[in-house]
Amino acid sequence: MGVMGKDAVQDDFPSFALPVDTEHKATIMRPWYFARPHMPAFHLSWLAFFAAFVSTFAPAALLPVIRDNIDLTKTDLGNAGIAAVCGAIAARVAMGNFVDTYGPRFGIGLCIGLTAPAVYCIALCTNAAGFIISRLFIGFSLATFVACQFWCTSMFNTKVVGTANALAAGWGNMGGGFTHFLMPLVFDGIKASSSPAFLAWRWAFFVPASFQVLLTVCIMAFTQDMPDGNYAALKKSSAMRKSSAWGTWKAAITNYRTWVMTLTYGYCFGVELTVDNVLPQYMYDNFHLDLHIAGLLAAIFGMMNLFSRPSGGYISDLVARKWGMRGRLWAMWIIQSLGGLFCLLLGLTSGSLGATMAILVIFSIFCQQSCGLSFGIVPFISKRSTGLVSGFVGSGGNVGGAVTQALFFTYLPISTAQGFLWMGVMTMGITLLYLTMYFPMWGGCFAAAKEGVSEEDYYLAEWTPEERAEGLHSASIKFAYESRSQRGWVKQAALNESKEAAAAGAINDSVKSINV
């Protein structure tokens, strides 16, 4: 296998441990592999996102203790939850632009490293203002999601990109459940060493903060941006050329599919963020459980990401093999609608812990699968603006989380159970927007592809004639070729049959002319 130094660029004919396509992206997804350069990028990207989730929702895991120690009101708790997810809204858009320009390695490394001090500093909070501000800055770490998805899209072929993105994001999201299990254990362990409760919860935050620092070092030391090298080296060697920043932004913001996915992602990932924020306290208050048991039960929701979000990405890739992009869109709409339905049902079972847990597990599967399905579609919206589109869609998840937290769990005079019910109703309504998604070369839920439009037509339209003349569109040409897989077997079979029929007709005509 050809392995390069940190500032090197692969030669014209590099060798890789995994089979690759024309862009040198891996064509298989094997999570148990560690072959460079594809798999270290995958593993460290999901670990960084995992660490961000652990740190962001660590305060929620210890909220009953922190609430009593620094005298937080219900409104303070709601505002802190909103701040935690709002912190990443602008940060995710900025991260999209950053990774397009400087690469995912610096993006994810700097984000996870620069937010670590905020995790340490939450231990110094003595009032609501300090707690809310700390959660705001810790929330910036959730922008690692954008770099994570961009990195996987850069490393894996279109046929497996849905699975790769979903595995990385799902295992990262799992940190939201793991922290509800981890933090009470760390807190209890420190308290058992004769530390008072008001000090034990503060020392507990040194664990996730230190993990972020460790990951920052590993990312910068052991990974690279692209299969062929790091952005800086690729640009220096002219293997990657800089294009117009406005052109990149224009390709993202003028594509209506960006905004449909931004809105709808707010009601799968945004819902997940909200549940991660409110569930431990709901279990503690509604069912009168102790802190450890409440945290353990709340952890189940997030820990389902071990397989639920990855299975969403796998479903997306699986249906695309036969039905192409239209299969991805139908699966997306059906599964996210089911997530909304079971969220509604969760609000109707507040009187029974057993029923709540049964519905919670089913709800978590559909909710998290829909997140995985979303990023089976996002990489195909724009090749030129992959990072920016991912940033906008990712920030939409945080906007959705902030809106639902504010509406149903902070300011409206309704119970938490009623909040779940109305959040489910809103999810099913917003999810209908998927039915408007249409790709001219592949079609949409109800409309077939436009005759005569190819993948090259769609992706090269993002470049001006002058940029094409300079060869800046070369990566889009390769991606367009690989994206033909989104036609699906059914359409491809029909195309092949028509080509064979045309070829047979041409042969018959030639034979007739010879006979004449």
Side-chain angles (χ1 to χ4, degrees), residues 30 65 86 101 121 126 154 184 208 282 298 328 341 379 447:
R30 300 289 185 269
V65 177
C86 278
T101 306
C121 286
T126 58
S154 300
Y282 176 65
R328 291 186 192 269
L341 174 63

Side-chain angles (χ1 to χ4, degrees), residues 355-375:
T356 293
M357 293 308 301
I359 294 296
L360 181 68
V361 168
I362 300 171
F363 164 48
S364 68
I365 292 172
F366 288 129
C367 176
Q368 293 157 10
Q369 279 183 337
S370 60
C371 295
L373 282 151
S374 294
F375 274 81

